Amino acid sequence: MTTAPHERSRNAVRNATGPSSALEQRLIELIKAHGPISVADYMSDALFHPNDGYYMSQSPIGARGDFTTAPEVSQIFGELIGLWLVQSWIDLGEPDAFTLVELGPGRGVLMRDALRAAKLSPAFLDAIDVQLVETSGRMRLEQQKRLKDAPVPLAWKDAFHDTNDGPILIIANELFDCLPIRQFEMTTDGWRERMVNVDDAGEGLVFSTAFAPPLTIEGAPDAAPEGAIYEWSEPAEQLAEEIAKRLADHPGRALIIDYAHVRAGLGDTLQSVKGHGAWPPLAAPGHADITAHVNFDRLIERAFDAGAAAYGPVAQGTLLDRLGLTMRVERLCAGKPQDIVKDIEAGAFRIAASSEMGELFKAICISSPDLPPAPGFDAP
Ligand code: SAH
């Protein structure tokens, strides 16, 4: 069988050029038997399938992985977030006990650097209960290794709703971009869902367009040029709402940093990387990372609807500058040999310069409504 009858695959584009994977074979069988799957279901299996999902079976991050992230590039990233956390705790009235949650901690580098910087406030560390929310057992092991000398006890949780009530600070760097998105394509008859199908030879995965129009598409404009793509991540919006509901009921803040447009709009942002280079999103699922830009406008809307306050997006470079990047670079470089100074400066440039990660990455802060704006979000 090639194409399910309700599908129009004539405009499908063969996308798989890389080696196949066990997961690709299984998806081909599944689609042949039951019909095309949504981009969200594809992304979900490719990243989180219990055996073959990318985060479950590979070592994604770092020089020997497929991609790198800001905390991996420069220790200053985590350190400035550590200071942001201490100031936020002060803004909360220095509670004796509070929970620090990190969502999707990767290799644990951000938490390690943040806790080191936070040592300047022993009372903050005395009050803290750290909870790391991580779905991948493999990534948890990495985190446990890196955080074994952490100055405070740590606990791991499967999901945000398992974390403690009470005063709370939340951080998430590059977590929302791996939450599955659905894609919709504007056709002559309106929005139709973009699906993942098998090619005519039945040997590879291709994109196609579902014949049946979806009933509603949250937030999509009524009119758009033919071929335009609208993306919607229900899991990302639900998580933002869950965080906001918690912050409406309990004092705290969440700092969320990710790839995003300044003004989210139309466009296909599904992208895949392997070995630090671009990779076709449908090739060898489970062996490459897949992400999509985060629609911060929608997350902010959901946060307000749930009764929280929300600030941003602020460009990552601007946020880091406001949190004291320049001073931190100077402090770190003082008295160091020239080659180390060069490395520190190169790392800082990479995370903050607008030609590097400083503009493409952005931050929002979801907050309890009665708190002042968080550090870095207090200027227009
Ligand atoms: N924050 C890290 C890692 C980003 S990679 C850094 O900046 O380096 C994404 C991380 O989120 C991985 O650890 C992945 O296993 C985890 N993850 C993905 N989906 C998740 C979910 N729904 N809940 C918790 N963790 C998740």
Side-chain angles (χ1 to χ4, degrees):
M1 193 219 105
T2 51
T3 309
H6 65 286
E7 285 293 309
R8 299 187 310 176
S9 66
R10 61 177 185 277
N11 56 354
V13 181
R14 176 82 216 265
N15 207 354
T17 57
S20 188
S21 61
L23 186 59
E24 182 177 19
Q25 283 313 320
R26 276 216 301 285
L27 287 174
I28 288 172
E29 297 312 317
L30 181 89
I31 293 169
K32 281 182 177 175
H34 301 290
I37 58 174
S38 69
V39 171
D41 285 344
Y42 172 76
M43 210 172 153
S44 186
D45 263 359
L47 295 179
F48 307 118
H49 184 280
N51 291 324
D52 298 323
Y54 179 67
Y55 283 107
M56 308 313 195
S57 63
Q58 311 286 311
S59 299
I61 310 168
R64 277 181 293 166
D66 293 303
F67 62 93
T68 192
T69 59
E72 300 270 343
V73 169
S74 169
Q75 68 182 80
I76 296 175
F77 186 81
E79 289 169 349
L80 293 177
I81 289 180
L83 301 181
W84 185 93
L85 289 167
V86 173
Q87 183 57 50
S88 289
W89 171 73
I90 293 169
D91 292 344
L92 289 180
E94 306 187 15
D96 294 342
F98 76 101
T99 307
L100 169 58
V101 172
E102 182 173 6
L103 303 170
R107 299 205 304 174
V109 175
L110 170 51
M111 184 56 78
R112 181 195 64 192
D113 294 341
L115 291 176
R116 188 180 57 248
K119 279 186 181 161
L120 67 87
S121 172
F124 170 92
L125 291 180
D126 279 347
I128 209 171
D129 176 8
V130 176
Q131 307 200 332
L132 299 125
V133 177
E134 174 59 68
T135 42
S136 154
R138 209 178 154 104
M139 298 310 295
R140 279 189 189 197
L141 282 179
E142 282 269 0
Q143 292 152 20
Q144 280 156 1
K145 220 167 37 186
R146 196 137 295 105
L147 292 166
K148 65 180 188 320
D149 299 323
V152 292
L154 311 168
W156 273 262
K157 302 283 172 188
D158 292 331
F160 176 66
H161 59 71
D162 297 332
T163 60
N164 286 359
D165 282 347
I168 188 166
L169 295 172
I170 302 159
I171 50 175
N173 185 58
E174 290 208 50
L175 175 268
F176 279 79
D177 66 353
C178 65
L179 299 180
I181 57 155
R182 290 170 71 183
Q183 290 189 320
F184 301 92
E185 186 181 332
M186 182 51 93
T187 67
T188 45
D189 328 306
W191 293 108
R192 293 180 192 282
E193 185 149 12
R194 200 179 189 208
M195 308 295 281
V196 174
N197 203 345
V198 291
D199 62 13
D200 288 340
E203 290 171 359
L205 297 172
V206 290
F207 287 115
S208 67
T209 313
F211 185 71
L215 293 174
T216 51
I217 307 173
E218 290 264 343
D222 292 336
E226 203 181 327
I229 299 281
Y230 179 76
E231 298 180 334
W232 177 36
S233 176
E234 202 173 0
E237 291 187 19
Q238 275 168 356
L239 181 56
E241 183 179 290
E242 208 185 324
I243 290 171
K245 277 188 178 150
R246 181 80 70 85
L247 295 173
D249 293 340
H250 302 271
R253 285 178 181 149
L255 178 63
I256 298 170
I257 305 178
D258 232 304
Y259 277 101
H261 302 290
V262 182
R263 283 268 156 264
L266 300 173
D268 176 5
T269 73
L270 193 72
Q271 61 179 34
S272 186
V273 295
K274 186 165 171 53
H276 297 268
W279 181 258
L282 298 186
H287 289 193
D289 189 35
I290 305 178
T291 57
H293 281 27
V294 176
N295 187 338
F296 277 140
D297 290 349
R298 294 278 311 163
L299 303 194
I300 284 176
E301 220 177 293
R302 290 289 282 259
F304 276 119
D305 288 351
Y311 301 89
V314 171
Q316 174 170 299
T318 308
L319 177 73
L320 295 175
D321 279 342
R322 288 177 183 168
L323 296 181
L325 178 79
T326 312
M327 247 170 62
R328 184 69 198 134
V329 172
E330 280 168 11
R331 281 284 279 283
L332 268 182
C333 289
K336 299 268 168 44
Q338 202 46 40
D339 53 335
I340 304 229
V341 166
K342 264 198 173 143
D343 278 356
I344 295 169
E345 287 176 349
F349 183 78
R350 185 127 178 249
I351 58 174
S354 36
S355 56
E356 302 277 327
M357 301 174 81
E359 194 68 44
L360 179 59
F361 285 83
K362 295 177 183 68
I364 62 166
C365 177
I366 302 179
S367 168
S368 295
D370 44 357
L371 287 176
F377 295 88
D378 42 5

